[in-house]
Amino acid sequence: MPERSDSDSRSLLRRLRDQLATPGGGQDRLDRITHLIADSMRTQVCSIYLFRDPETLELCATEGLNPEAVHQTRMRLGEGLVGRVARTGVPVNTGDAPSAPGFRYMPETGEEIYSSFLGVPIQRVGEKLGVLVVQSRQAREFSEDEVYGLEVVAMVLAEMTELGAFTAEGNGIGSTHRFPVMFRGTCGQEGAAEGRVWLHEPRVVVSNPVGDDPEAELARLDTAIEALRAQIDEMLEGSAGMDKDHRQVLETYKMLAHSRGWMRRMSEDIGLGLSAEAAVEKEQSTARARLEQSPDPYLRERLNDLDDLSNRLLRLLTGQGSDTGAALPENPVLVARNIGPAELLEYGRALKGVVLEEGSVGSHAAIVARALSIPLVIHAARITTEALNGDAILIDGDQGIVHLRPEDSVAAAFRDKIAMQAEAQKRYADLRTLPATDQSGQTISLVMNAGLMADLPSLVGSGADGVGLFRTELQFLTRTRVPRRGELAALYARVMDAAGDKPVYFRTLDIGSDKVLPYMKPQDEPNPAMGWRAIRVGLDKPGVLRMQLQALVRAAAGRPLSVMFPFIATPNEFHDARASLMHEIEREAQMGRPVPSSLKIGAMLETPSLGFAPDSFYQACDFISIGGNDLKQFFFAADRENERVRRRYDTLDVSFLTFLEKLIVRCEANDVALSFCGEDAGRPVEALTFAALGIRTLSMRPASIGPVKHLIRRANLTELHRVIHEAREGGAQSVRPAVTHYLARL
Ligand code: PEP
Ligand code: MG
């Protein structure tokens, strides 16, 4: 049998491309294509299997198998040799198909007489579209060149599928990105939203997968690669002050961009007839399929680098930027692999929701989403490959579930849920001006957490009694340089203006750990959450802390001022921080500027050590605020960002509650105000438990104030205290069942 040559391959690819321009429906096109491929590959059979739904493959066209089997033969993902190719994304090549592992006999196809089998995936950048198969009577394995050649053909079919070339009515195939898909991610911020997809980085469209002139395509690829390398060098030059991980990623990019293997494979693809952009995509898809199978997390992470690099190259080749000129749809839901806080802030409140493939609950993007009160789902694997701009999307932040292109029944049920939530919000709005007083007459002060100017309207909307925690680091995180004192003073003054008579507790800069400033010298710390962060940075490098304290004093301009210091672990840290504030106030007074009319200085209790500090520490504080997010992670030694261990320990575990009770008793004994400002304060069951134990101020996200107030007003905290006591006496490890049972009866 004569060998297939490069020119055979190029001529086949051209004939395939011509099919795009030939009139006729998708089914005709598929039929002609299977004929062309079998002819060119000199095989008796060529079949195309496409996905009917995300789990089922269907024989959609064949040359050589029983035509009656078309649209009848189906298999599940992973079933038989075809299903195996689809699942793994890797070719199967055998001279003896019936003996190959996983072979499944499909009597209706009449394939038993064909011994050799070569199946390659039809895939595009991690998106599985189908399987292309050739079969022959002669028992022989296909050569490496033949496998390679068929992969190139499959790439062109993938692009054609993507362009809708095979869409047909009736029994035929619909276009891709059409089926409803559900993604199960993790809750980043509660709430529900319905809208249309807005891709932060839209996919590149390759409209011409076939190249007519390999020389010209190679020259285009060379030019684009040169430009890509220059881009990376520029990024590396600009990354001098950036953290180590960021630089490492850029170094990996550089290595990949200079990889000879990568260049060689793309050049070979072009030699076989692909256009430069289709060659880039082919290598991206093949590497993706290979890396995804890898058990090594480091290699799987390289996938992102490769994707980024390939996308950059594709944008250079096609001239498509990430700004496609498309208008933001109505009710946009942002879909992205990941997004930085500054970019998210730029979209601002226009967004109805955010869905990310990566991210973490404590990430900056999550903090911003929370500040903007928009539902956020993280870890929605592969959504960026499946979603298209403008697709209908529903996001359920509470459950961490996303429905893309939902069925009508799902959408209807979802709308009911949104309507119910809206009704509940209305009920809560009616409570806005009423106090959070329980049935026994105890009043709890409900205040809100904030960090952006954009949060302030919620102060009125939610009925909060003030801002219990103003996270000042957001202004630092969303800039490319340290903000100036004047800028900060103006912002803090606007916050105080907006709050009017209500108090605002400003927390000084809490950076380090997960909150890394892009312009801060990176710290190579093995355990950053327990490392150089928050007040430790402020005291060791006092320049920024002093500047921030000056800005706060100036913003107060003779009004009351409340400042709290984060992550205080020992009394002397508090004393030093306090002294620093007093020093700035004195300096302002010396310069004849107004000083705050009254002053409250407090500590955030985020490490268990402070629970055991001497009474003199408590007496020195005007207030103490429990930073439950951090306190809990240190109490149970469970990283708040690690999804695996984060939920393992219950906030209502009696050991933790015993510790909280100890704090309550000590604060009462020393006459110091106590509040709780971690996320748990906004969860109704937790909030009521804290209140029943005796915490009188709870600081939470604005959206939680309504539900928490509603429950407090119905509950009797004295009774609930008794319920908690009985559960503990009864030996419960967590009081959650008892509290939930009590609240359910209200
Ligand atoms: C906390 O740790 O509970 C807290 C409120 O601070 P942050 O979440 O900003 O670390
Ligand atoms: Mg904290």
Side-chain angles (χ1 to χ4, degrees), residues 469 471 507 510 515 604 606 627-630 640 677-678:
L469 163 67
R471 291 181 160 108
R507 171 175 79 182
D510 181 8
K515 299 163 189 154
M604 280 190 76
E606 304 186 87
N629 305 336
D630 274 312
R640 65 192 260 189
C677 68

Side-chain angles (χ1 to χ4, degrees), residues 385-403:
T385 28
E386 186 59 50
L388 291 184
N389 263 343
D391 276 348
I393 186 167
L394 308 173
I395 94 168
D396 180 341
D398 306 22
Q399 309 281 334
I401 286 177
V402 179
H403 297 276

Side-chain angles (χ1 to χ4, degrees), residues 1-15 37 39-42 143-150 152-153 214 268-274:
M1 188 183 295
E3 283 285 305
R4 280 185 90 235
S5 66
D6 286 7
S7 79
D8 285 341
S9 170
R10 283 201 294 272
S11 131
L12 171 62
L13 259 47
R14 260 183 240 128
R15 282 153 76 198
I37 298 173
D39 184 44
S40 172
M41 296 290 293
R42 300 178 188 101
S143 71
E144 247 178 57
D145 283 351
E146 284 171 314
V147 177
Y148 198 79
L150 198 65
V152 166
V153 171
E268 282 169 7
D269 298 337
I270 289 176
L272 291 177
L274 288 185

